[in-house]
Structure formats: structure tokens, C-alpha cells
């Protein structure tokens, strides 16, 4: 199997896992609590992928200060991107019905763009090495599960039928595969420096974990649940670290 096929399969499987996970958790009576646990695990997985795999690789191939600037750039880019999405969500002209009608396409567009970015991240990982690509795919799938639950819930709340919500999310998830394949082909043909792109991906992972996922844990007031969320986050770090170590040892 060549690497391009592996990129396509991993991106497709990552999207499928996140969709199935989202559907199963959404159907569960305890979906809110399960979604919170998935969020904790995702935060740990993203941080481990960024700090244990991606950033050390970047630092070996470039100047630390330059790499740090691009990681910061990644954080800023996704802060601005998310701020714009939230601004549009809350600034729709017209009456209440028009606001509801406008929010639905914004959710779809936001999710599709997010999935497209995930695909670029997966492509960047595979351009470095197969093991890095697999690690990035796992991290992407982990953080997509709680996001899919949120998207499913929002669309259903806005009155979209279940069958249509499923179709929308399946089509949106395909953006990950398309982006991964296209950017992998471009990256191989152009032979560009991967350091800036990987650093931006690391910044993206750190931003998602620290601005969206970890704050959700801090909102929990029950001390026992806070401890449990913390343990699940640490488990996410440990599991991804173990996967990284295993992959590097096995593939190398």
C-alpha cells in the first residue's frame, strides 16, 4: 500500500470513527456526561500529539525561535478563525426565524472548514512520516467526537431532521479526506518546507485543547467529577504517548 492510499484511508476512517462516536453518544441517555469525558480525553490526546510528537520533530529540523513563532501564528490564526465564526453566529440581521435559518448554514460551513483543516493536518503529518500521520489522525479523530456531538445536537435543536443531520455530517466529514489527499499530493510535488505547516498544526492542536476543551472541564463544580476528568485527560496523554512510542519503534 502506497502512502497516498494510507492518507486517504486514515482520513476516511478518522472521519468515520468521529461520526460513529458522535452518533452513539448522541443516542445515549447519558450523552452529556459521555461527551464531557470524550472532551477530556481529546484534550489529552491533542496535547500529547503536539508536545510529544510534532513539536520535537519540528525543533530537530529548524531553529527553535522560528518554530516557536509559527506555533504562535497557528494559535493566533485559529483564535481569529473561531472568533469570526462566533461573531457571525451572533450577528444575523432580521427576525428570529431568519436568525435560526442563518445559524444552520453557519454550523455546516464552520464544521466543513474545521474538517478541511483537519485534513490538511493529517496530510502534513504523513508528509513527515507514516507514524506522525497516524498520530495526527488519532488526535484529530479524538477531538472530532465531542465536536460531532455538539454539531448533531445544535442542528437537531434548530429543527433539522435526524436523517438530514446525518447526511450533512457525512458530507462535511468527507472534506477531511479530500483535503488530506489534495494537500498530500501538493506537498509531495512541491517539496516545500513542512516546518511552518507542522508548527501551525501544533498551534491548532494546542489552541483547541486549551481554549475549547480544557475550559469545559473547569466548568465542572463536582470535585469528584473534576478528578475523574483530570484522570481521563492524563489517560489521553499517556495513551497517545504509548501509541507514538510504539509506532516509532515498530515503523522505524
Amino acid at each position: 500500500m502506497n502512502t497516498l492510499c494510507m492518507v486517504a484511508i486514515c482520513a476516511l476512517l478518522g472521519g468515520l470513527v468521529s461520526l460513529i462516536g458522535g452518533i452513539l453518544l448522541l443516542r445515549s441517555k447519558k450523552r452529556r456526561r459521555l461527551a464531557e469525558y470524550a472532551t477530556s480525553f481529546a484534550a489529552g490526546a491533542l496535547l500529547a500529539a503536539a508536545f510529544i510528537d510534532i513539536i520535537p520533530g519540528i525543533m530537530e529540523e529548524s531553529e527553535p525561535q522560528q518554530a516557536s513563532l509559527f506555533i504562535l501564528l497557528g494559535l493566533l490564526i485559529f483564535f481569529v478563525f473561531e472568533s469570526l465564526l462566533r461573531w457571525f453566529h451572533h450577528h444575523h440581521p432580521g427576525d428570529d426565524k431568519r436568525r435560526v435559518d442563518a445559524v444552520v448554514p453557519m454550523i455546516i460551513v464552520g464544521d466543513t472548514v474545521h474538517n478541511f483543516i483537519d485534513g490538511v493536518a493529517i496530510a502534513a503529518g504523513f508528509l513527515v512520516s507514516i507514524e506522525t500521520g497516524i498520530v495526527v489522525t488519532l488526535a484529530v479523530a479524538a477531538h472530532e467526537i465531542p465536536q460531532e456531538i455538539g454539531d448533531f445536537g445544535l442542528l437537531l435543536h434548530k429543527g433539522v431532521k435526524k436523517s438530514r443531520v446525518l447526511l450533512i455530517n457525512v458530507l462535511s466529514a468527507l472534506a477531511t479526506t479530500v483535503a488530506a489527499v489534495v494537500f498530500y499530493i501538493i506537498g509531495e510535488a512541491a517539496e516545500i518546507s513542512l516546518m511552518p505547516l507542522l508548527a501551525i498544526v501544533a498551534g491548532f492542536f494546542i489552541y483547541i485543547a486549551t481554549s475549547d476543551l480544557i475550559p469545559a472541564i473547569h466548568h465542572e463544580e463536582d470535585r469528584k467529577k473534576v478528578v475523574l476528568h483530570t484522570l481521563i485527560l492524563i489517560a489521553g496523554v499517556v495513551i497517545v504517548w504509548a501509541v507514538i512510542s510504539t509506532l516509532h519503534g515498530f515503523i522505524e
Side-chain angles (χ1 to χ4, degrees), residues 12-249:
L12 195 59
L13 286 176
L16 184 63
V17 166
S18 64
L19 277 175
I20 292 173
I23 293 168
L24 291 176
L25 293 183
L26 193 63
R27 290 173 63 87
S28 171
K29 292 181 180 179
K30 298 181 179 180
R31 59 179 176 268
R32 181 178 176 183
R33 185 59 59 193
L34 290 172
E36 290 173 357
Y37 295 150
T39 296
S40 302
F41 182 86
L46 288 172
L47 291 174
F51 286 104
I52 299 174
D53 191 56
I54 299 175
I55 293 177
I58 295 169
M59 293 301 181
E60 289 178 2
E61 303 294 332
S62 63
E63 293 291 330
Q65 185 176 14
Q66 186 182 23
S68 297
L69 284 173
F70 277 104
I71 294 170
L72 177 59
L73 178 62
L75 284 162
L76 294 175
I77 287 172
F78 294 107
F79 166 74
V80 172
F81 168 71
E82 189 171 61
S83 297
L84 288 174
L85 280 181
R86 290 183 178 181
W87 188 87
F88 281 117
H89 268 252
H90 293 89
H91 290 77
H92 300 293
D95 56 22
D96 290 339
K97 186 178 185 305
R98 287 179 63 187
R99 285 176 185 162
V100 170
D101 291 341
V103 166
V104 171
M106 281 303 302
I107 294 169
I108 297 169
V109 170
D111 188 36
T112 303
V113 172
H114 197 117
N115 289 335
F116 188 86
I117 294 168
D118 288 341
V120 175
I122 290 170
F126 275 101
L127 284 167
V128 175
S129 66
I130 292 174
E131 56 267 32
T132 298
I134 293 173
V135 168
V136 171
T137 302
L138 291 173
V140 164
H143 96 269
E144 278 294 327
I145 290 175
Q147 181 183 316
E148 290 297 339
I149 295 170
D151 290 339
F152 270 61
L154 281 171
L155 290 172
L156 290 172
H157 180 69
K158 296 300 180 183
V160 183
K161 293 181 179 179
K162 287 185 178 180
S163 58
R164 193 177 177 191
V165 169
L166 181 59
L167 177 62
I168 287 169
N169 279 273
V170 167
L171 293 175
S172 178
L174 288 176
T176 302
T177 305
V178 172
V181 170
V182 169
F183 274 85
Y184 181 81
I185 293 171
I186 293 173
E188 268 206 323
E191 294 184 355
I192 57 175
S193 172
L194 295 175
M195 187 281 290
L197 183 57
L198 275 177
I200 289 173
V201 169
F204 169 52
F205 281 7
I206 295 168
Y207 176 79
I208 293 296
T210 56
S211 72
D212 288 354
L213 303 182
I214 292 177
I217 300 171
H218 287 315
H219 289 158
E220 181 61 69
E221 296 180 356
D222 188 319
R223 291 185 179 180
K224 290 183 179 179
K225 290 177 181 177
V226 170
V227 171
L228 181 57
H229 282 299
T230 302
L231 291 174
I232 293 172
L233 186 150
I234 294 171
V237 172
V238 172
I239 289 171
V240 172
W241 169 78
V243 169
I244 291 168
S245 300
T246 302
L247 285 173
H248 280 280

